[in-house]
Amino acid sequence: MTDRPLTLMAVHAHPDDEATGTGGILAQYAAEGIRTVLVTCTDGGCGDGKGGVKPGDPGHDPAAVALMRRQELEASCDVLKISDLEMLDYADSGMMGWPSNEAPGSFWQTPVEEGAARLAELMRHYRPDVVVTYDENGFYGHPDHIQANRITMAALEMTALTPKVYWTTMPRSRMQQFGETLREFQEGMPEPDPAEAAAMAEIGLPDDEITTWVDTTAFSGQKFDALAAHASQGENIFFLKMGKERFGEFMGLETFVRVKDATGAAVPENDLFAGLR
């Protein structure tokens, strides 16, 4: 045995991603005395600026946006009681197909080996028992999410560490509810066209392929407040329109697929640290 605390490392693409998909587990495991390490890969400079000014519009200053989002991220970490924040500070690549995808220095343009080497250094320092990131499609195809997956998996190969590794996901049964709830809280939102509906139907996994179901409802208030800390992006975070009670009902369950494991813990499981304590 060792005196080193159990450690969770979450690798995310942008400020605010930590709260959306993993805010519950970060708050819950912190409350249980587990060290929680957040690695945020980009500066978030392709987010909305003050007053909601959009990327590419007059007055949008990526450097100013990045500074603002750094402050919001630190506030979110305080809410979630995250032990350690590490920022790789690559330039935000924007959504797939944006011109910013091609910008020198953007995360999408960074060689995987370079990003992985930096992340591997952090892994050797923190020695995580559990690592969480996105799946190979970045959950919904965002280039920075895809790149976060790539550097995480490559970094693990560079180290001698054998943590349990998880990719965030969502049960497809809940994705159907997501579409219905989105239309409920977004007034005047049109029905998706068949192509969009088909693409949405492919996000997440069939329920029986999900290995890990963590009920974080007791921490959904912290998760809501962490999202609310990213106030500059509030227009894009429709979950905040639900109010805390409805948010807790909808966002209190966090689900994952386990992709690496040396513990032999049985699945399905309800604890990322099953087999480790």
Side-chain angles (χ1 to χ4, degrees):
M1 296 296 289
T2 175
D3 292 333
R4 185 182 64 82
L6 286 171
T7 300
L8 165 67
M9 176 180 281
V11 182
H12 280 292
H14 312 98
D16 77 26
D17 290 333
E18 80 289 340
T20 307
T22 57
I25 58 164
L26 287 166
Q28 176 172 311
Y29 288 127
E32 293 177 10
I34 289 171
R35 187 177 196 177
T36 51
V37 180
L38 171 63
V39 180
T40 301
C41 297
T42 80
D43 60 11
C46 285
D48 289 357
K50 285 187 177 178
V53 62
K54 301 296 182 185
D57 287 350
H60 186 276
D61 179 354
V65 172
L67 176 61
M68 175 174 61
R69 297 195 71 184
R70 169 68 185 245
Q71 294 166 344
E72 292 175 342
L73 177 60
E74 290 172 350
S76 172
C77 288
D78 286 343
V79 170
L80 297 173
K81 310 300 182 188
I82 289 170
S83 310
D84 301 271
L85 170 62
E86 298 282 357
M87 295 195 71
L88 300 185
D89 269 333
Y90 290 109
D92 189 343
S93 310
M95 299 295 286
M96 190 67 82
W98 287 14
S100 48
N101 294 174
E102 308 302 322
S106 70
F107 191 36
W108 188 236
Q109 289 299 314
T110 299
V112 169
E113 295 76 13
E114 177 191 319
R118 294 181 61 194
L119 183 56
E121 199 173 310
L122 293 174
M123 288 179 174
R124 293 187 191 103
H125 174 72
Y126 289 107
R127 302 188 67 80
D129 301 282
V130 171
V131 173
V132 176
T133 192
Y134 315 98
D135 63 21
E136 293 165 310
N137 190 46
F139 186 60
Y140 67 98
H142 193 296
D144 288 331
H145 291 217
I146 294 170
Q147 189 77 329
N149 167 277
R150 290 174 178 173
I151 73 161
T152 300
M153 304 312 291
L156 287 163
E157 292 296 321
M158 293 177 178
T159 73
L161 303 173
T162 57
K164 297 177 79 178
V165 181
Y166 294 89
W167 294 345
T168 57
T169 191
M170 187 177 285
R172 289 200 178 141
S173 60
R174 289 180 70 85
M175 284 303 299
Q176 295 171 1
Q177 298 173 23
F178 176 81
E180 294 164 4
T181 305
L182 184 62
R183 283 187 288 277
E184 178 184 346
F185 285 93
Q186 298 279 69
E187 291 183 12
M189 181 179 175
E191 290 288 328
D193 66 36
E196 288 178 350
M200 182 70 74
E202 293 301 312
I203 293 177
L205 287 173
D207 292 30
D208 61 1
E209 292 182 21
I210 291 173
T211 62
T212 311
W213 307 68
V214 186
D215 183 355
T216 63
T217 305
F219 297 89
S220 61
Q222 275 176 263
K223 182 173 178 173
F224 183 95
D225 290 342
L227 270 175
H230 296 281
S232 68
Q233 309 307 305
E235 182 182 329
N236 304 317
I237 307 175
F238 97 94
F239 301 109
L240 295 175
K241 299 176 183 178
M242 295 179 171
K244 278 191 176 180
E245 183 176 351
R246 188 74 183 276
F247 178 88
E249 295 171 1
F250 189 73
M251 298 289 285
L253 181 69
E254 294 185 352
T255 51
F256 308 86
V257 58
R258 193 172 83 190
V259 294
K260 286 184 180 290
D261 170 61
T263 69
V267 292
E269 59 188 1
N270 60 11
D271 177 14
L272 300 180
F273 288 85
L276 294 169
R277 56 180 176 172

